[in-house]
Amino acid sequence: MEKIVSLCKRRGFVFPGSEIYGGLANSYEYGPVGVELKRNIQDEWWNVFVRRRSDMVGLDSSIILHPKTWEASGHVTGLVDAMVECRKCHTRTRADHLIEDYFKKKDEKISVEGKSDGDLDAIINENKIKCPTCGSFDWTPVRKFNLLFETHVGIVPEAQSKVYLRGETAQGIFVSFKNIVDSTRVALPFGVGQMGKSFRNEITKGNFIFRTLEFEQAEIEYFFNPEAVDWRKLFEVWKNDLWKFVTENLGVKKTHLRWREHGDEERSFYSARTEDLEYEFPFGFKELWGLAYRTDYDLKRHMQYSGIDLSYTDPVTGKKFLPHAIEPAVGINRLMAMVLLDSYTEDGDRIFLKLPPRLAPYKAAVFPLLKNKPELVEKARGIYEELKKDFMVVWDDRGNIGKRYYAQDEIGTPFCITVDFDTLEKGDVTVRDRDTATQERVPIDRLKEYIASRLK
Ligand code: GAP
């Protein structure tokens, strides 16, 4: 993980949040190549799950929704973590993470899922677990805190003006469900996909971009008639789709992935069944993608709280009912952490990111062999400008060729194109492959075709 964190900073993928002010825990900035990688992952998700499917539509709802939304959804009372605070240094931490880390260091396993506040207190006290920051053993009792960020609409912070930054994108889908059904030709079963920022007041530090205060969530609510569709079968179909996306579209090794079903104590308040697709991060197998069968919980609650009829009318039978929903929910930042970790490769002295070319920030880098030969620079510049019309390419004329290869390898650029003196005579260039470090000559007029074919 340290290697990835350092590479990300060195090369402009991810910077610590607000660094010049001493940093802000659990926040990060996505640098010039990081934003490209993140966008490519977002595009891949949107294309696969929304654009290329005929049973899906997209949505972009508000970050600030009517506050009743979060009362109806149950998040105001249900999106809570158990916290303790060190009385000496005022470090606040999640009680379950404190306990898990303590036992992990001793190489012992413990399950804290579903434990009451009193049980967590007892484990901390029996084991005299010390504060990871100052080493004291002086904790406040465990208490619950809500993860929703609160803010106010308008200039006077009164109780009536209180709103929340959304804790998940999903609620926007339920809130707009009626408008989507009324304005489009969707018929069950169909899904609504949405991607955008969600916010949670996470207090546990560390693990890089795995858990952050704000994150790009990509969620789908797949609505169906529970009398016409067996939810268990549909759940399996979604499991396959998610697995395929991670292994084929994102190119992640199957051996680093597994499914894990939530027990009764762990499952969220809204779910009748949840399975997590987990990735083996350096800090253990952890949730990457949650798949939950939310039943008609959300539509029913919003119907109660809003007083608006959210039922669906079957176009054939005319029967009215509340559809059920299966929800695949993932954080794009978590996908990005996984992709970086999974593609990081060391081969002798060489370090490279073996990213699927489609995801790479730059598809190709263009270099003149020598920076001080105007005829090489002019030719290379022309190729760069031409390729830029179709692909994300980068220009590099710093240092020597070896250093340029090194820099491009570290950001995962699949092809490095060098214009040399032979180019001027023969009209071809050297294309060096990131993964094999082999080189071949490719005619300039075939370069676009060459790159396009390798991006498929
Ligand atoms: N709508 C259901 C929902 O939000 P969740 O398991 O709390 O369920 C879904 O979140 C996904 O969102 C997680 O699997 C994870 O990928 C991502 N996620 C949740 N909290 C996150 C955080 N603080 N930072 C980054 N990603 C997060």
Side-chain angles (χ1 to χ4, degrees):
M1 193 57 144
E2 286 90 62
K3 286 180 179 177
I4 294 292
V5 174
S6 144
L7 183 147
C8 282
K9 174 141 197 243
R10 190 166 71 243
R11 295 293 177 194
F13 279 101
V14 182
F15 307 130
S18 312
E19 201 181 11
I20 62 164
Y21 289 105
L24 178 67
N26 297 337
S27 73
Y28 291 89
E29 331 288 353
Y30 291 80
V33 290
V35 68
E36 292 298 332
L37 174 60
K38 185 150 76 73
R39 273 200 187 186
N40 292 340
I41 296 173
Q42 287 175 288
D43 287 349
E44 198 69 12
W45 184 93
W46 192 261
N47 285 335
V48 167
F49 291 114
V50 180
R51 290 210 168 128
R52 289 191 203 135
R53 291 181 64 135
S54 43
D55 58 346
M56 288 282 306
V57 291
L59 178 75
D60 186 6
S61 71
S62 291
I63 284 173
I64 299 173
L65 296 165
H66 193 290
K68 265 196 174 176
T69 307
W70 304 104
E71 286 168 36
S73 71
H75 284 78
V76 170
T77 46
L79 190 67
V80 287
D81 279 337
M83 182 195 81
V84 282
E85 181 173 339
C86 171
R87 289 198 183 93
K88 289 265 153 52
C89 71
H90 302 293
T91 291
R92 287 179 175 170
T93 180
R94 261 173 69 172
D96 54 345
H97 289 174
L98 179 75
I99 295 168
E100 278 166 357
D101 289 350
Y102 171 79
F103 281 93
K104 200 174 161 204
K105 278 196 192 121
K106 297 206 314 173
D107 241 356
E108 287 174 35
K109 280 218 160 124
I110 186 164
S111 172
V112 287
E113 287 301 344
K115 295 250 186 277
S116 68
D117 293 357
D119 292 343
L120 296 173
D121 264 333
I123 299 173
I124 294 171
N125 290 327
E126 274 160 25
N127 294 280
K128 298 231 167 340
I129 302 180
K130 291 187 178 141
C131 170
T133 311
C134 72
S136 314
F137 172 64
D138 194 1
W139 296 109
T140 59
V142 170
R143 65 190 159 96
K144 289 275 192 296
F145 78 98
N146 194 286
L147 271 71
L148 287 177
F149 276 105
E150 290 175 13
T151 186
H152 291 268
V153 171
I155 48 168
V156 187
E158 311 165 304
Q160 308 91 290
S161 67
K162 186 164 88 178
V163 290
Y164 304 96
L165 301 187
R166 68 181 172 201
E168 60 172 24
T169 56
Q171 292 308 318
I173 300 178
F174 297 117
V175 167
S176 287
F177 176 77
K178 184 173 162 32
N179 277 334
I180 293 170
V181 172
D182 290 348
S183 64
T184 64
R185 300 180 61 83
V186 289
L188 293 181
F190 73 90
V192 182
Q194 156 149 252
M195 192 189 299
K197 281 273 169 90
S198 289
F199 302 81
R200 292 187 193 174
N201 203 351
E202 303 278 4
I203 55 161
T204 302
K205 292 196 180 73
N207 292 340
F208 195 39
I209 54 173
F210 177 81
R211 182 177 286 107
T212 47
L213 299 178
E214 53 181 277
F215 52 100
E216 207 77 46
Q217 235 186 356
E219 301 196 281
I220 294 166
E221 297 304 327
Y222 197 80
F223 297 102
F224 61 97
N225 176 353
E227 284 182 9
V229 174
D230 178 349
W231 72 265
R232 287 173 193 82
K233 286 196 182 138
L234 192 57
F235 203 88
E236 289 307 310
V237 171
W238 274 106
K239 276 177 74 175
N240 272 333
D241 286 352
L242 306 189
W243 184 270
K244 204 164 156 231
F245 181 81
V246 175
T247 56
E248 293 180 17
N249 298 77
L250 303 185
V252 170
K253 294 166 200 83
K254 291 182 180 145
T255 49
H256 294 166
L257 295 162
R258 71 174 189 197
W259 281 102
R260 188 182 66 80
E261 186 172 353
H262 285 206
D264 288 346
E265 332 75 49
E266 186 187 358
R267 217 174 29 244
S268 297
F269 53 93
Y270 51 72
S271 177
R273 167 143 156 210
T274 300
E275 289 196 38
D276 286 343
L277 178 55
E278 295 188 329
Y279 177 72
E280 191 173 17
F281 288 94
F283 40 91
F285 269 103
K286 294 281 173 211
E287 174 181 353
L288 176 75
W289 210 318
L291 183 63
Y293 172 34
R294 288 182 89 125
T295 66
D296 58 356
Y297 172 85
D298 301 87
L299 287 181
K300 203 190 269 168
R301 296 273 295 190
H302 286 301
M303 196 153 139
Q304 281 166 8
Y305 277 70
S306 67
I308 302 289
D309 182 6
L310 298 179
S311 54
Y312 172 89
T313 308
D314 187 297
V316 180
T317 62
K319 200 174 155 194
K320 280 177 85 170
F321 59 94
L322 278 183
H324 283 212
I326 282 182
E327 174 198 72
V330 73
I332 296 289
N333 317 64
R334 225 171 254 194
L335 289 182
M336 179 165 157
M338 170 190 69
V339 164
L340 285 164
L341 284 159
D342 219 68
S343 62
Y344 181 85
T345 312
E346 289 181 357
D347 182 9
D349 286 348
R350 245 165 45 81
I351 296 171
F352 60 103
L353 292 185
K354 208 171 173 177
L355 295 170
R358 255 196 333 276
L359 300 185
Y362 300 114
K363 309 309 170 209
V366 182
F367 320 143
L369 180 65
L370 299 169
K371 181 183 180 173
N372 55 1
K373 296 285 173 203
E375 62 279 32
L376 294 184
V377 174
E378 192 190 336
K379 189 76 186 165
R381 206 77 213 174
I383 292 171
Y384 166 76
E385 296 296 346
E386 190 50 42
L387 290 180
K388 213 162 173 46
K389 291 180 191 161
D390 294 305
F391 307 105
M392 186 68 187
V393 288
V394 63
W395 172 262
D396 196 356
D397 60 7
R398 294 163 311 165
N400 58 36
I401 289 283
K403 280 203 178 128
R404 295 178 202 163
Y405 283 160
Y406 190 81
Q408 294 303 326
D409 278 349
E410 283 207 330
I411 59 170
T413 308
F415 309 109
C416 287
I417 297 166
T418 306
V419 170
D420 53 22
F421 292 104
D422 280 350
T423 308
L424 303 179
E425 280 179 28
K426 298 184 188 149
D428 58 9
V429 289
T430 300
V431 179
R432 183 245 195 200
D433 182 282
R434 175 197 66 198
D435 299 344
T436 59
T438 54
Q439 302 181 1
E440 62 178 310
R441 296 295 288 188
V442 177
I444 294 170
D445 57 8
R446 278 205 45 232
L447 260 181
K448 279 194 180 177
E449 195 189 314
Y450 178 92
I451 297 172
S453 70
R454 302 286 298 270
L455 292 181
K456 284 207 176 113

